[in-house]
Amino acid sequence: MYSGGQLVDVQIISYPDGDNKSVQINQRALPTLISAAVSAQSADVSTVSGATYTSNSYKASLQSAID
């Protein structure tokens, strides 16, 4: 979400939640990735340790939305 030309929030529409491991990873990684993206004002954020697939998918999806 943009406001005044600034990235102020990222809404996650869907994410893997079919098993406990995915839920645990996403509960930890997504808030970190959202905060990092808002701080960086871009999708160029660091990968969350232990959530490589989630991080890479998040960055690709966010970059696509920004573009």
Side-chain angles (χ1 to χ4, degrees):
M1 178 181 311
Y2 278 96
S3 177
Q6 297 278 329
L7 180 63
V8 295
D9 192 19
V10 178
Q11 298 293 315
I12 307 299
I13 296 171
S14 68
Y15 53 89
D17 61 357
D19 62 83
N20 287 338
K21 184 176 181 179
S22 292
V23 170
Q24 289 175 345
I25 290 170
N26 288 318
Q27 284 178 338
R28 182 177 52 84
L30 293 176
T32 301
L33 292 165
I34 291 168
S35 178
V38 171
S39 292
Q41 290 294 295
S42 77
D44 187 19
V45 296
S46 297
T47 300
V48 174
S49 180
T52 303
Y53 294 129
T54 297
S55 298
N56 290 341
S57 296
Y58 172 84
K59 292 189 286 186
S61 179
L62 180 56
Q63 187 59 57
S64 179
I66 290 171
D67 291 345

